[in-house]
Amino acid sequence: MRVLVIGSGAREHALALALRRDPQVSALFVAPGNAGIAQHAEVRAVDASNGDAVVALAKEVAADLVVIGPEVPLVLGVADAVRGAGIAAFGPSAAAAQIEGSKAFAKDVMSAAGVLTAHSEIVDHPGELDAALDRFGPTWVVKDDGLAAGKGVVVTADRSVAREHGAELLENGHPVLLESFLDGPEVSLFCLVDGETVVPLLPAQDHKRVGDGDTGPNTGGMGAYTPLPWLPAETVTAIVDDVVKPVAAEMVRRGVPFSGLLYAGLAIGQAGPAVVEFNCRFGDPETQAVLALLDSPIGELLYATATGTLDQVDAPRWKDGSAVTVVLAAENYPARPRSGDVISGAESSGTGTESEVLHAGTAQREDGALVSAGGRVLAIVGQGADLAEARKNAYDRLAGIKLPGGHFRSDIGLAAVEGRITVPTPA
């Protein structure tokens, strides 16, 4: 099988490594890729958001399957264009991708499906903001209603901070979504979805805040780990049965069936799992940890999802142990990150064993030097027999990498190792 992956980050690097390990994958292309991905796959140039350009490249490389990584091309209909050309595409239609592209759409689907989520309200006029804020709190959750790469969310106990963020969004022409605050530990559950067929992958936990101890502004994700030693297996079953399957069925009922990876971000509170958000693609940085433990051929799973035959393949198999992803970010991220700094010590083994370095925002200068070219620069993945060992392997590998001004969280997965995360007792 010849596979073309669309994207340029650490998520696509993780997908490329997993696909390269699949004996059924005879040729692998990634577009536009990055400096690290180029070590493991043939990298091609493409405008990832242009459906015609992606179709032309897929035909040029004779792709049997196109895997679309980022959300923007999906929301813009790139998967529709690929399928329209008669090529299998892993990724939802533009209509189905609205589950991430419009939080208002997602809330409407969840309401119709009877899925537990936060109370919410859309504000689309500055004159309505203050009165709406008065209906929420004492912790305010203020979101951009559209795509914001994880950085359009403010969670604060300070009403003035909530108001400032909401006003800024409205000033820039973005509707604001206010939500009630959901308490409890958060879980990311990836599910392969083909219409009403739902196949869960391993649950993971992301670390959104930029600083240790969940301090500072939200980011696209500073690290993740899997599996979750504190999460009962029956809770995962409940998420699939009570959240993902009803949403998948509701989308089929609406005539916009979902095909691809449906990401459910949830808070596990006293009332049970409640949805924080849905994404229409593999999440980053959770993908890096989850795919490190996948023991099944990923090509078969993705192709079956893309071709409507997911119910005919075996459930995914997983390696024993744990995996931890730690993100190395550029100076000043998540604001305006500095770029062009030389990175040393980031050579990738490509073996997927104790530790692996995945490229997120990198480029190669004309003189061959590896330099930073984005906010999140590298994702270091450690594996181990347990979470503590996986953490050690990730941080040991990170210690050998140098990036001027680079920063990372030192506590990815630490609360779980120390037994500080518990699932609330049902009310």
Side-chain angles (χ1 to χ4, degrees):
M1 179 166 52
R2 299 172 66 84
V3 181
L4 169 62
V5 177
I6 301 299
S8 60
R11 164 186 48 219
E12 288 75 34
H13 197 165
L15 284 164
L17 284 179
L19 286 161
R20 199 188 70 161
R21 293 192 293 267
D22 186 340
Q24 299 175 51
V25 176
S26 56
L28 179 61
F29 306 87
V30 182
N34 62 38
I37 293 173
Q39 301 172 37
H40 311 299
E42 185 174 333
V43 170
R44 296 294 189 94
V46 77
D47 178 354
S49 297
N50 184 317
D52 291 340
V54 171
V55 168
L57 178 59
K59 289 180 176 179
E60 180 185 332
V61 302
D64 300 299
L65 173 67
V66 176
V67 179
I68 302 168
E71 63 272 26
V72 172
L74 292 168
V75 170
L76 292 177
V78 171
D80 302 84
V82 173
R83 276 191 283 267
I87 303 169
F90 181 86
S93 66
Q98 287 304 298
I99 196 79
E100 177 173 4
S102 168
K103 295 177 179 65
F105 173 84
K107 288 290 185 182
D108 189 55
V109 169
M110 284 186 275
S111 176
V115 168
L116 184 63
T117 186
H119 167 67
S120 66
E121 198 172 315
I122 293 286
V123 179
D124 57 12
H125 189 279
E128 302 169 354
L129 181 59
D130 282 313
L133 286 169
D134 289 342
R135 293 189 285 273
F136 289 82
T139 298
W140 284 267
V141 181
V142 186
K143 297 182 177 181
D144 187 333
D145 184 51
L147 298 175
K151 293 175 284 186
V153 181
V154 163
V155 181
T156 180
D158 188 330
R159 188 185 186 282
S160 65
V161 173
R163 187 184 190 283
E164 181 182 5
H165 184 59
E168 181 182 358
L169 291 173
L170 289 165
E171 185 178 331
N172 291 317
H174 295 231
V176 171
L177 181 77
L178 298 179
E179 286 188 336
S180 58
F181 178 67
L182 294 174
D183 205 359
E186 292 198 4
V187 173
S188 299
L189 184 65
F190 297 171
C191 292
L192 299 171
V193 176
D194 162 20
E196 295 195 43
T197 301
V198 174
V199 175
L201 306 185
L202 288 180
Q205 187 176 61
D206 187 11
H207 295 62
K208 283 289 188 188
R209 301 275 190 169
V210 73
D212 283 4
D214 291 328
T215 57
N218 272 343
T219 71
M222 292 299 292
Y225 65 96
T226 189
L228 309 181
W230 47 267
L231 186 70
E234 56 266 28
T235 303
V236 176
T237 301
I239 293 169
V240 173
D241 291 345
D242 300 337
V243 175
V244 184
K245 285 184 176 180
V247 164
E250 172 61 19
M251 294 187 75
V252 169
R253 189 190 69 78
R254 292 177 178 225
V256 287
F258 193 94
S259 172
L261 194 290
L262 187 59
Y263 165 124
L266 311 107
I268 312 299
Q270 285 190 325
V275 175
V276 175
E277 64 176 352
F278 278 111
N279 289 340
C280 65
R281 37 71 193 185
F282 278 103
D284 184 344
E286 299 99 321
T287 296
Q288 293 90 294
V290 170
L291 293 189
L293 297 183
L294 181 64
D295 203 31
S296 297
I298 191 173
E300 179 184 40
L301 292 167
L302 301 184
Y303 188 77
T305 305
T307 56
T309 58
L310 184 59
D311 61 345
Q312 298 173 28
V313 299
D314 293 336
R317 300 185 306 274
W318 302 98
K319 302 173 187 174
D320 293 332
S322 297
V324 173
T325 302
V326 182
V327 170
L328 177 61
E331 182 174 344
N332 205 36
Y333 177 79
R336 189 182 297 275
R338 196 172 78 184
S339 62
D341 289 308
V342 174
I343 307 161
S344 61
E347 295 76 15
S348 174
S349 69
T351 61
T353 52
E354 281 187 358
S355 62
E356 186 59 88
V357 178
L358 304 180
H359 290 228
T362 65
Q364 197 160 24
R365 281 194 325 212
E366 289 184 5
D367 64 1
L370 183 69
V371 298
S372 59
R376 293 185 294 176
V377 180
L378 299 171
I380 294 81
V381 182
Q383 294 183 51
D386 56 22
L387 189 53
E389 184 179 341
R391 268 179 47 83
K392 180 180 185 304
N393 288 334
Y395 283 107
D396 284 353
R397 182 68 184 87
L398 180 56
I401 299 173
K402 306 301 178 187
L403 170 65
H407 61 96
F408 59 89
R409 283 185 58 161
S410 66
D411 63 348
I412 304 301
L414 182 59
V417 170
E418 295 179 344
R420 292 188 277 117
I421 303 178
T422 56
V423 174
T425 303

